[in-house]
Amino acid sequence: MQRYYSLKNLNTFGLNVTASHYVSVESLDDIDQAARSEIFASSKRLILGGGSNILFLDDFFSGIVLHINLQGWEIIEDDPDFVIVKVGAGHEWDALVNAMVERELYGIENLALIPGKVGAAPIQNIGAYGVEMKDSFHRLHAYDLQTHKIEIFDKERCDFGYRNSIFKQQAKERYIIMWVELKLKKNAELNLDYGNIKDYLSENNIRNPTISDVRDAVVAIRQSKLPDPVEIGNAGSFFKNPVVHQLLYDDLKREFHDLPGYTNGNSTYKIPAGWMIEKTGWKGFREGDAGVHNKQALVLVNHGKATGREIFGLAMKIQQSVRKKFGITLEPEVNII
Ligand SMILES: Cc1cc2nc3c(=O)[nH]c(=O)nc-3n(C[C@H](O)[C@H](O)[C@H](O)COP(=O)(O)OP(=O)(O)OC[C@H]3O[C@@H](n4cnc5c(N)ncnc54)[C@H](O)[C@@H]3O)c2cc1C
């Protein structure tokens, strides 16, 4: 266990945060030892992956940071139609995507370039370009901080939803995800439904796309739209896209004719939060070093020396003005610590 450990390079907002206690978890023994220590029982805890979906409010975290660093992946089942791949929770998500694309194993190519670690992917059921992690999820192994035992969670038990799972609800902070198993297909099954991917492929004259073409398309689209945290601190989408009842959607549509929305097929619509933030005039806004990205209003950024509270304060102002204009309360996607 290390004391007074800097987390500046372990959160993509680039906030200058120090933790009073820090442990790098590389094995089951590491976690067992940390979880049974005296200090653990009396301390606040934070389970940390790549730090790409968190916002620290304060510059000092008084408690134990468990940094999950279990690496590597292996194929544990090889069927004529699919494989089951078991991955360490600390493995870089995008490195896994690339390894699977190289082997032509289908399922997660649309989730290329999402920052962070494999262990965090089930927490909010990461998603992009028409695909969610749950679509390829098999099961996971989690360390129970109450019983000190490993438990298996299948898809049903994870209760995945839109940017949601049991680990953000009733199981929050009880389990540490150690390994994730994904079920990937051997037969070509590409998801090209998402508009931008189709456009990219046709602009580049790719008529019969391969799995690498799709991954490359996603990477190119993302790079053209989203800020790279290495260049400017951010945690991707700050808010979730709100899901509203059709009646409310119809009402809003009468008032705002250009309101976009995607039906979920069950009398609900998902409205792009970025559109609402842009409509309330926040795109490109900057207050000190806290700001709203100038290409994607859903992304809040740290231009350099912003504090967590400044970024959070800006988020709350945005939430308030969206509520005033549209009557909808945006819910943060980013975990506030
Ligand atoms: C530029 C950018 C683009 C992004 N684009 C997308 C996108 O397209 N789609 C999307 O869904 N997300 C996106 N994100 C958000 C983020 O990349 C994902 O949520 C990612 O899964 C977070 O991984 P992480 O390892 O960084 O998690 P962290 O930020 O370290 O942690 C996130 C949460 O998970 C918990 N946690 C982490 N690891 C474990 C574990 N092993 N066991 C238990 N709990 C754990 C943490 O306590 C915390 O509550 C983006 C972020 C950025 C910066």
Side-chain angles (χ1 to χ4, degrees), residues 10 12 46-54 68 89-90 93 111-129 163 167-168 172-173 175-178 222 226-229 234-237 299 333 335 337:
L10 297 180
T12 58
L46 172 65
I47 307 160
L48 186 65
S52 64
N53 202 19
I54 56 173
I68 310 305
W93 173 263
L111 304 178
L113 215 64
I114 296 182
K117 305 293 169 85
V118 167
I123 304 282
Q124 72 157 6
N125 176 27
I126 57 169
Y129 301 96
R163 299 296 181 274
F167 304 104
K168 290 194 93 173
K172 196 172 160 74
E173 284 165 18
Y175 297 96
I176 299 184
I177 297 173
M178 303 292 281
R222 291 183 71 97
L226 288 168
D228 180 352
N234 75 90
S237 306
V299 178
E333 176 181 315
N335 298 278
I337 311 294

Short mmCIF file of all heavy atoms in Angstrom, two decimals, residues 10 12 46-54 68 89-90 93 111-129 163 167-168 172-173 175-178 222 226-229 234-237 299 333 335 337, ligand 1:
data_model
loop_
_atom_site.label_atom_id
_atom_site.label_comp_id
_atom_site.label_asym_id
_atom_site.label_seq_id
_atom_site.Cartn_x
_atom_site.Cartn_y
_atom_site.Cartn_z
N LEU A 10 -4.18 9.28 -13.57
CA LEU A 10 -5.14 8.17 -13.49
C LEU A 10 -6.58 8.64 -13.57
O LEU A 10 -7.50 7.93 -13.19
CB LEU A 10 -4.91 7.35 -12.20
CG LEU A 10 -3.55 6.65 -12.08
CD1 LEU A 10 -3.45 5.89 -10.76
CD2 LEU A 10 -3.34 5.70 -13.25
N THR A 12 -8.95 10.93 -16.55
CA THR A 12 -8.79 11.58 -17.87
C THR A 12 -9.21 13.05 -17.87
O THR A 12 -8.99 13.74 -18.85
CB THR A 12 -9.56 10.81 -18.97
OG1 THR A 12 -10.94 10.75 -18.59
CG2 THR A 12 -9.01 9.40 -19.16
N LEU A 46 -12.28 3.53 -3.25
CA LEU A 46 -12.57 3.81 -4.65
C LEU A 46 -11.93 2.72 -5.50
O LEU A 46 -10.72 2.48 -5.41
CB LEU A 46 -12.01 5.18 -5.07
CG LEU A 46 -12.11 5.46 -6.58
CD1 LEU A 46 -13.56 5.56 -7.03
CD2 LEU A 46 -11.36 6.73 -6.95
N ILE A 47 -12.75 2.08 -6.32
CA ILE A 47 -12.23 1.08 -7.26
C ILE A 47 -11.95 1.84 -8.55
O ILE A 47 -12.84 2.50 -9.10
CB ILE A 47 -13.26 -0.04 -7.49
CG1 ILE A 47 -13.70 -0.61 -6.15
CG2 ILE A 47 -12.67 -1.14 -8.36
CD1 ILE A 47 -15.02 -1.36 -6.20
N LEU A 48 -10.72 1.76 -9.00
CA LEU A 48 -10.32 2.58 -10.15
C LEU A 48 -9.82 1.72 -11.30
O LEU A 48 -9.02 0.80 -11.10
CB LEU A 48 -9.21 3.54 -9.69
CG LEU A 48 -8.73 4.60 -10.68
CD1 LEU A 48 -9.84 5.59 -11.02
CD2 LEU A 48 -7.53 5.36 -10.12
N GLY A 49 -10.32 2.03 -12.50
CA GLY A 49 -9.80 1.40 -13.71
C GLY A 49 -8.91 2.42 -14.40
O GLY A 49 -7.87 2.82 -13.86
N GLY A 50 -9.35 2.90 -15.57
CA GLY A 50 -8.57 3.90 -16.30
C GLY A 50 -8.92 5.32 -15.92
O GLY A 50 -8.35 6.27 -16.47
N GLY A 51 -9.91 5.50 -15.05
CA GLY A 51 -10.29 6.85 -14.62
C GLY A 51 -10.90 7.69 -15.73
O GLY A 51 -10.84 8.92 -15.69
N SER A 52 -11.54 7.04 -16.73
CA SER A 52 -12.09 7.80 -17.85
C SER A 52 -13.58 8.06 -17.72
O SER A 52 -14.21 8.59 -18.63
CB SER A 52 -11.81 7.08 -19.17
OG SER A 52 -12.46 5.84 -19.21
N ASN A 53 -14.15 7.68 -16.57
CA ASN A 53 -15.58 7.93 -16.38
C ASN A 53 -15.85 8.43 -14.96
O ASN A 53 -16.88 8.15 -14.38
CB ASN A 53 -16.37 6.65 -16.66
CG ASN A 53 -17.81 6.93 -17.01
OD1 ASN A 53 -18.17 8.05 -17.38
ND2 ASN A 53 -18.65 5.93 -16.87
N ILE A 54 -14.87 9.19 -14.43
CA ILE A 54 -15.05 9.71 -13.07
C ILE A 54 -14.66 11.19 -13.02
O ILE A 54 -13.84 11.66 -13.80
CB ILE A 54 -14.20 8.93 -12.03
CG1 ILE A 54 -12.73 8.94 -12.42
CG2 ILE A 54 -14.69 7.53 -11.83
CD1 ILE A 54 -11.85 8.33 -11.34
N ILE A 68 -7.25 -1.37 -10.31
CA ILE A 68 -7.37 -2.75 -10.83
C ILE A 68 -6.46 -2.94 -12.04
O ILE A 68 -6.68 -2.32 -13.09
CB ILE A 68 -8.86 -3.06 -11.17
CG1 ILE A 68 -9.78 -2.69 -10.01
CG2 ILE A 68 -9.02 -4.53 -11.57
CD1 ILE A 68 -9.43 -3.32 -8.68
N ALA A 89 -9.53 -7.73 -15.63
CA ALA A 89 -10.27 -6.46 -15.51
C ALA A 89 -9.39 -5.24 -15.78
O ALA A 89 -9.89 -4.18 -16.14
CB ALA A 89 -10.90 -6.36 -14.13
N GLY A 90 -8.08 -5.39 -15.63
CA GLY A 90 -7.22 -4.23 -15.84
C GLY A 90 -6.69 -4.12 -17.26
O GLY A 90 -5.90 -3.22 -17.58
N TRP A 93 -9.36 -1.76 -22.66
CA TRP A 93 -10.49 -2.17 -23.51
C TRP A 93 -10.12 -2.12 -24.99
O TRP A 93 -10.35 -3.08 -25.74
CB TRP A 93 -11.72 -1.31 -23.22
CG TRP A 93 -12.83 -1.60 -24.18
CD1 TRP A 93 -13.12 -0.91 -25.32
CD2 TRP A 93 -13.74 -2.71 -24.13
NE1 TRP A 93 -14.17 -1.51 -25.99
CE2 TRP A 93 -14.56 -2.61 -25.27
CE3 TRP A 93 -13.93 -3.77 -23.24
CZ2 TRP A 93 -15.58 -3.54 -25.54
CZ3 TRP A 93 -14.95 -4.69 -23.51
CH2 TRP A 93 -15.74 -4.56 -24.64
N LEU A 111 -17.11 -0.92 -30.73
CA LEU A 111 -16.77 -0.27 -29.45
C LEU A 111 -15.28 0.08 -29.40
O LEU A 111 -14.71 0.27 -28.32
CB LEU A 111 -17.15 -1.20 -28.28
CG LEU A 111 -18.61 -1.65 -28.25
CD1 LEU A 111 -18.87 -2.60 -27.08
CD2 LEU A 111 -19.54 -0.43 -28.15
N ALA A 112 -14.67 0.21 -30.59
CA ALA A 112 -13.25 0.57 -30.67
C ALA A 112 -13.03 1.96 -30.09
O ALA A 112 -13.93 2.82 -30.13
CB ALA A 112 -12.79 0.55 -32.13
N LEU A 113 -11.86 2.15 -29.56
CA LEU A 113 -11.35 3.45 -29.06
C LEU A 113 -12.09 4.01 -27.84
O LEU A 113 -11.88 5.16 -27.46
CB LEU A 113 -11.36 4.50 -30.20
CG LEU A 113 -10.20 5.50 -30.16
CD1 LEU A 113 -8.87 4.83 -30.36
CD2 LEU A 113 -10.39 6.59 -31.22
N ILE A 114 -12.94 3.21 -27.22
CA ILE A 114 -13.52 3.67 -25.95
C ILE A 114 -12.42 3.53 -24.89
O ILE A 114 -11.85 2.47 -24.72
CB ILE A 114 -14.77 2.85 -25.55
CG1 ILE A 114 -15.88 3.07 -26.59
CG2 ILE A 114 -15.26 3.25 -24.15
CD1 ILE A 114 -17.19 2.36 -26.28
N PRO A 115 -12.10 4.65 -24.21
CA PRO A 115 -11.01 4.56 -23.23
C PRO A 115 -11.41 3.69 -22.04
O PRO A 115 -12.59 3.40 -21.83
CB PRO A 115 -10.83 6.01 -22.77
CG PRO A 115 -11.59 6.86 -23.72
CD PRO A 115 -12.67 5.99 -24.30
N GLY A 116 -10.42 3.31 -21.25
CA GLY A 116 -10.71 2.60 -20.01
C GLY A 116 -10.37 1.13 -20.05
O GLY A 116 -9.83 0.62 -21.04
N LYS A 117 -10.72 0.46 -18.96
CA LYS A 117 -10.33 -0.93 -18.76
C LYS A 117 -11.53 -1.86 -18.92
O LYS A 117 -12.68 -1.45 -18.74
CB LYS A 117 -9.72 -1.09 -17.36
CG LYS A 117 -8.55 -0.15 -17.07
CD LYS A 117 -7.36 -0.50 -17.95
CE LYS A 117 -6.27 0.55 -17.89
NZ LYS A 117 -5.34 0.42 -16.81
N VAL A 118 -11.21 -3.12 -19.15
CA VAL A 118 -12.25 -4.12 -19.38
C VAL A 118 -13.18 -4.26 -18.16
O VAL A 118 -14.39 -4.42 -18.29
CB VAL A 118 -11.59 -5.47 -19.75
CG1 VAL A 118 -12.58 -6.62 -19.69
CG2 VAL A 118 -10.95 -5.38 -21.13
N GLY A 119 -12.62 -4.16 -16.96
CA GLY A 119 -13.43 -4.34 -15.75
C GLY A 119 -14.50 -3.30 -15.57
O GLY A 119 -15.51 -3.54 -14.90
N ALA A 120 -14.30 -2.12 -16.15
CA ALA A 120 -15.31 -1.06 -16.01
C ALA A 120 -16.39 -1.17 -17.08
O ALA A 120 -17.46 -0.58 -16.94
CB ALA A 120 -14.65 0.32 -16.08
N ALA A 121 -16.11 -1.92 -18.14
CA ALA A 121 -17.06 -1.97 -19.26
C ALA A 121 -18.46 -2.44 -18.85
O ALA A 121 -19.47 -1.87 -19.29
CB ALA A 121 -16.50 -2.83 -20.39
N PRO A 122 -18.58 -3.47 -17.98
CA PRO A 122 -19.93 -3.88 -17.57
C PRO A 122 -20.60 -2.88 -16.61
O PRO A 122 -21.83 -2.89 -16.49
CB PRO A 122 -19.71 -5.22 -16.85
CG PRO A 122 -18.34 -5.66 -17.22
CD PRO A 122 -17.56 -4.41 -17.47
N ILE A 123 -19.81 -2.06 -15.92
CA ILE A 123 -20.40 -1.18 -14.91
C ILE A 123 -21.50 -0.32 -15.54
O ILE A 123 -22.62 -0.27 -15.06
CB ILE A 123 -19.33 -0.26 -14.25
CG1 ILE A 123 -18.20 -1.09 -13.64
CG2 ILE A 123 -19.96 0.71 -13.25
CD1 ILE A 123 -18.48 -1.73 -12.33
N GLN A 124 -21.16 0.35 -16.65
CA GLN A 124 -22.22 1.15 -17.29
C GLN A 124 -22.62 0.55 -18.64
O GLN A 124 -23.24 1.22 -19.45
CB GLN A 124 -21.79 2.61 -17.43
CG GLN A 124 -20.73 2.90 -18.46
CD GLN A 124 -20.77 4.36 -18.91
OE1 GLN A 124 -21.50 5.16 -18.36
NE2 GLN A 124 -20.00 4.70 -19.93
N ASN A 125 -22.25 -0.72 -18.87
CA ASN A 125 -22.61 -1.37 -20.13
C ASN A 125 -22.25 -0.45 -21.29
O ASN A 125 -23.14 0.09 -21.97
CB ASN A 125 -24.11 -1.72 -20.11
CG ASN A 125 -24.59 -2.32 -21.42
OD1 ASN A 125 -23.81 -2.93 -22.15
ND2 ASN A 125 -25.85 -2.12 -21.73
N ILE A 126 -20.95 -0.26 -21.50
CA ILE A 126 -20.49 0.71 -22.49
C ILE A 126 -21.14 0.46 -23.85
O ILE A 126 -21.42 -0.68 -24.22
CB ILE A 126 -18.94 0.73 -22.63
CG1 ILE A 126 -18.38 -0.64 -22.99
CG2 ILE A 126 -18.28 1.30 -21.39
CD1 ILE A 126 -16.91 -0.61 -23.39
N GLY A 127 -21.34 1.54 -24.56
CA GLY A 127 -22.01 1.41 -25.84
C GLY A 127 -21.60 2.51 -26.80
O GLY A 127 -21.17 3.58 -26.38
N ALA A 128 -21.67 2.20 -28.08
CA ALA A 128 -21.40 3.19 -29.12
C ALA A 128 -21.76 2.59 -30.47
O ALA A 128 -21.67 1.38 -30.66
CB ALA A 128 -19.91 3.57 -29.13
N TYR A 129 -22.18 3.46 -31.39
CA TYR A 129 -22.43 3.07 -32.78
C TYR A 129 -23.31 1.83 -32.90
O TYR A 129 -23.01 0.88 -33.63
CB TYR A 129 -21.09 2.91 -33.53
CG TYR A 129 -20.34 4.22 -33.49
CD1 TYR A 129 -19.37 4.46 -32.52
CD2 TYR A 129 -20.70 5.25 -34.36
CE1 TYR A 129 -18.76 5.69 -32.43
CE2 TYR A 129 -20.09 6.48 -34.27
CZ TYR A 129 -19.13 6.70 -33.30
OH TYR A 129 -18.54 7.92 -33.20
N ARG A 163 -26.51 2.38 -20.29
CA ARG A 163 -25.46 2.92 -19.41
C ARG A 163 -25.73 2.55 -17.95
O ARG A 163 -25.55 3.37 -17.04
CB ARG A 163 -25.34 4.44 -19.54
CG ARG A 163 -24.97 4.92 -20.90
CD ARG A 163 -23.58 4.46 -21.34
NE ARG A 163 -23.30 5.00 -22.66
CZ ARG A 163 -23.67 4.38 -23.79
NH1 ARG A 163 -24.28 3.22 -23.75
NH2 ARG A 163 -23.39 4.93 -24.95
N PHE A 167 -24.28 -3.05 -11.01
CA PHE A 167 -23.12 -2.48 -10.31
C PHE A 167 -23.22 -0.97 -10.12
O PHE A 167 -22.39 -0.36 -9.44
CB PHE A 167 -21.82 -2.86 -11.05
CG PHE A 167 -21.68 -4.34 -11.19
CD1 PHE A 167 -21.93 -4.97 -12.40
CD2 PHE A 167 -21.34 -5.12 -10.10
CE1 PHE A 167 -21.83 -6.34 -12.52
CE2 PHE A 167 -21.25 -6.50 -10.20
CZ PHE A 167 -21.50 -7.11 -11.42
N LYS A 168 -24.22 -0.34 -10.76
CA LYS A 168 -24.47 1.08 -10.50
C LYS A 168 -25.68 1.22 -9.59
O LYS A 168 -26.05 2.32 -9.22
CB LYS A 168 -24.73 1.84 -11.82
CG LYS A 168 -23.51 1.98 -12.69
CD LYS A 168 -23.71 3.00 -13.78
CE LYS A 168 -23.22 4.36 -13.32
NZ LYS A 168 -23.25 5.35 -14.41
N LYS A 172 -23.72 -1.62 -6.02
CA LYS A 172 -22.71 -0.55 -6.09
C LYS A 172 -21.70 -0.67 -4.95
O LYS A 172 -22.08 -0.82 -3.80
CB LYS A 172 -23.44 0.80 -6.02
CG LYS A 172 -22.61 1.98 -6.44
CD LYS A 172 -23.55 3.21 -6.49
CE LYS A 172 -22.83 4.50 -6.42
NZ LYS A 172 -22.14 4.95 -7.55
N GLU A 173 -20.45 -0.65 -5.32
CA GLU A 173 -19.32 -0.66 -4.38
C GLU A 173 -19.16 -1.93 -3.55
O GLU A 173 -18.33 -1.99 -2.67
CB GLU A 173 -19.36 0.59 -3.48
CG GLU A 173 -18.88 1.80 -4.27
CD GLU A 173 -19.17 3.13 -3.66
OE1 GLU A 173 -19.45 3.20 -2.46
OE2 GLU A 173 -19.13 4.12 -4.43
N TYR A 175 -18.83 -5.09 -5.07
CA TYR A 175 -18.04 -6.08 -5.83
C TYR A 175 -16.91 -5.43 -6.61
O TYR A 175 -17.05 -4.33 -7.12
CB TYR A 175 -18.94 -6.80 -6.84
CG TYR A 175 -20.03 -7.60 -6.18
CD1 TYR A 175 -21.30 -7.06 -6.03
CD2 TYR A 175 -19.78 -8.88 -5.70
CE1 TYR A 175 -22.31 -7.78 -5.41
CE2 TYR A 175 -20.79 -9.60 -5.09
CZ TYR A 175 -22.04 -9.05 -4.94
OH TYR A 175 -23.04 -9.76 -4.34
N ILE A 176 -15.83 -6.18 -6.71
CA ILE A 176 -14.74 -5.76 -7.60
C ILE A 176 -14.71 -6.74 -8.76
O ILE A 176 -14.53 -7.95 -8.56
CB ILE A 176 -13.40 -5.76 -6.86
CG1 ILE A 176 -13.48 -4.77 -5.71
CG2 ILE A 176 -12.26 -5.43 -7.82
CD1 ILE A 176 -12.22 -4.59 -4.96
N ILE A 177 -14.91 -6.22 -9.94
CA ILE A 177 -14.89 -7.08 -11.12
C ILE A 177 -13.44 -7.46 -11.41
O ILE A 177 -12.57 -6.58 -11.50
CB ILE A 177 -15.55 -6.38 -12.33
CG1 ILE A 177 -17.04 -6.13 -11.99
CG2 ILE A 177 -15.39 -7.20 -13.61
CD1 ILE A 177 -17.80 -5.31 -12.99
N MET A 178 -13.18 -8.77 -11.49
CA MET A 178 -11.80 -9.26 -11.64
C MET A 178 -11.55 -9.78 -13.06
O MET A 178 -10.49 -9.54 -13.63
CB MET A 178 -11.54 -10.39 -10.64
CG MET A 178 -11.77 -10.00 -9.18
SD MET A 178 -10.59 -8.81 -8.59
CE MET A 178 -9.18 -9.85 -8.25
N ARG A 222 -14.74 8.67 -34.50
CA ARG A 222 -14.53 9.12 -33.13
C ARG A 222 -13.44 10.18 -33.06
O ARG A 222 -13.58 11.18 -32.37
CB ARG A 222 -14.17 7.94 -32.22
CG ARG A 222 -15.31 6.96 -31.99
CD ARG A 222 -14.91 5.86 -31.04
NE ARG A 222 -14.78 6.37 -29.69
CZ ARG A 222 -15.72 6.30 -28.74
NH1 ARG A 222 -16.85 5.69 -28.99
NH2 ARG A 222 -15.52 6.81 -27.56
N LEU A 226 -14.53 13.49 -31.18
CA LEU A 226 -14.34 13.51 -29.72
C LEU A 226 -12.94 13.99 -29.35
O LEU A 226 -11.96 13.61 -30.00
CB LEU A 226 -14.55 12.10 -29.16
CG LEU A 226 -15.98 11.60 -29.14
CD1 LEU A 226 -16.02 10.10 -28.85
CD2 LEU A 226 -16.80 12.35 -28.12
N PRO A 227 -12.84 14.81 -28.30
CA PRO A 227 -11.52 15.27 -27.90
C PRO A 227 -10.71 14.14 -27.27
O PRO A 227 -11.24 13.32 -26.52
CB PRO A 227 -11.84 16.35 -26.86
CG PRO A 227 -13.19 16.01 -26.34
CD PRO A 227 -13.92 15.31 -27.44
N ASP A 228 -9.42 14.11 -27.58
CA ASP A 228 -8.52 13.10 -27.01
C ASP A 228 -8.11 13.57 -25.61
O ASP A 228 -7.53 14.65 -25.46
CB ASP A 228 -7.30 12.99 -27.94
CG ASP A 228 -6.29 11.96 -27.43
OD1 ASP A 228 -6.47 11.45 -26.31
OD2 ASP A 228 -5.34 11.69 -28.18
N PRO A 229 -8.38 12.75 -24.59
CA PRO A 229 -8.05 13.17 -23.21
C PRO A 229 -6.56 13.47 -23.01
O PRO A 229 -6.20 14.21 -22.10
CB PRO A 229 -8.46 11.98 -22.35
CG PRO A 229 -9.39 11.18 -23.18
CD PRO A 229 -9.02 11.43 -24.61
N ASN A 234 -11.05 15.28 -20.32
CA ASN A 234 -12.50 15.07 -20.42
C ASN A 234 -12.82 13.63 -20.05
O ASN A 234 -11.91 12.80 -19.93
CB ASN A 234 -13.00 15.39 -21.85
CG ASN A 234 -12.65 14.32 -22.87
OD1 ASN A 234 -13.41 13.38 -23.07
ND2 ASN A 234 -11.49 14.42 -23.50
N ALA A 235 -14.10 13.34 -19.86
CA ALA A 235 -14.51 11.96 -19.54
C ALA A 235 -15.59 11.50 -20.51
O ALA A 235 -16.51 10.78 -20.14
CB ALA A 235 -14.98 11.88 -18.10
N GLY A 236 -15.49 11.93 -21.76
CA GLY A 236 -16.50 11.55 -22.75
C GLY A 236 -17.83 12.24 -22.43
O GLY A 236 -17.85 13.34 -21.85
N SER A 237 -18.93 11.59 -22.77
CA SER A 237 -20.26 12.19 -22.53
C SER A 237 -20.43 12.43 -21.03
O SER A 237 -20.29 11.51 -20.24
CB SER A 237 -21.36 11.22 -22.96
OG SER A 237 -21.15 10.85 -24.29
N VAL A 299 -19.74 16.87 -24.11
CA VAL A 299 -18.45 16.61 -23.45
C VAL A 299 -17.98 17.86 -22.70
O VAL A 299 -17.77 18.91 -23.32
CB VAL A 299 -17.39 16.18 -24.51
CG1 VAL A 299 -16.03 15.96 -23.84
CG2 VAL A 299 -17.83 14.92 -25.23
N GLU A 333 -23.67 10.86 -16.57
CA GLU A 333 -23.19 9.52 -16.88
C GLU A 333 -21.89 9.28 -16.11
O GLU A 333 -21.58 8.17 -15.68
CB GLU A 333 -22.94 9.41 -18.39
CG GLU A 333 -22.33 8.09 -18.81
CD GLU A 333 -22.06 7.99 -20.31
OE1 GLU A 333 -22.92 8.37 -21.13
OE2 GLU A 333 -20.97 7.50 -20.66
N ASN A 335 -19.23 9.21 -13.14
CA ASN A 335 -19.34 8.93 -11.70
C ASN A 335 -18.69 10.07 -10.92
O ASN A 335 -17.51 10.36 -11.10
CB ASN A 335 -18.63 7.62 -11.37
CG ASN A 335 -19.26 6.45 -12.11
OD1 ASN A 335 -20.27 5.91 -11.67
ND2 ASN A 335 -18.69 6.08 -13.26
N ILE A 337 -17.14 11.57 -7.69
CA ILE A 337 -16.47 11.02 -6.49
C ILE A 337 -16.29 12.13 -5.45
O ILE A 337 -15.72 13.16 -5.75
CB ILE A 337 -15.07 10.45 -6.86
CG1 ILE A 337 -15.15 9.53 -8.07
CG2 ILE A 337 -14.44 9.76 -5.64
CD1 ILE A 337 -15.92 8.24 -7.88
C1 LIG B 1 -12.99 10.47 -24.84
C2 LIG B 1 -13.92 9.51 -24.17
C3 LIG B 1 -14.87 8.84 -24.92
C4 LIG B 1 -15.75 7.93 -24.30
N1 LIG B 1 -16.67 7.29 -25.08
C5 LIG B 1 -17.52 6.40 -24.52
C6 LIG B 1 -18.48 5.71 -25.34
O1 LIG B 1 -18.52 5.86 -26.54
N2 LIG B 1 -19.33 4.85 -24.72
C7 LIG B 1 -19.27 4.63 -23.38
O2 LIG B 1 -20.08 3.82 -22.89
N3 LIG B 1 -18.38 5.26 -22.59
C8 LIG B 1 -17.50 6.14 -23.12
N4 LIG B 1 -16.60 6.80 -22.35
C9 LIG B 1 -16.60 6.57 -20.89
C10 LIG B 1 -15.56 5.54 -20.40
O3 LIG B 1 -14.55 5.35 -21.35
C11 LIG B 1 -16.20 4.19 -20.08
O4 LIG B 1 -17.22 4.35 -19.14
C12 LIG B 1 -15.17 3.18 -19.56
O5 LIG B 1 -15.77 1.89 -19.45
C13 LIG B 1 -14.60 3.58 -18.20
O6 LIG B 1 -13.51 2.72 -17.93
P1 LIG B 1 -12.43 3.07 -16.84
O7 LIG B 1 -11.58 1.85 -16.67
O8 LIG B 1 -11.72 4.31 -17.19
O9 LIG B 1 -13.35 3.26 -15.55
P2 LIG B 1 -13.15 4.26 -14.33
O10 LIG B 1 -13.42 5.66 -14.78
O11 LIG B 1 -11.86 3.99 -13.66
O12 LIG B 1 -14.34 3.79 -13.39
C14 LIG B 1 -15.69 3.98 -13.77
C15 LIG B 1 -16.60 3.39 -12.69
O13 LIG B 1 -16.45 1.98 -12.65
C16 LIG B 1 -15.98 1.53 -11.38
N5 LIG B 1 -15.01 0.46 -11.65
C17 LIG B 1 -13.94 0.53 -12.49
N6 LIG B 1 -13.32 -0.67 -12.57
C18 LIG B 1 -14.02 -1.52 -11.76
C19 LIG B 1 -13.88 -2.89 -11.40
N7 LIG B 1 -12.91 -3.67 -11.89
N8 LIG B 1 -14.77 -3.43 -10.52
C20 LIG B 1 -15.78 -2.67 -10.00
N9 LIG B 1 -15.95 -1.37 -10.29
C21 LIG B 1 -15.09 -0.79 -11.17
C22 LIG B 1 -15.35 2.76 -10.73
O14 LIG B 1 -15.40 2.68 -9.32
C23 LIG B 1 -16.24 3.87 -11.28
O15 LIG B 1 -17.44 3.95 -10.55
C24 LIG B 1 -15.69 7.70 -22.92
C25 LIG B 1 -14.71 8.39 -22.15
C26 LIG B 1 -13.84 9.26 -22.78
C27 LIG B 1 -12.79 9.96 -21.96
#
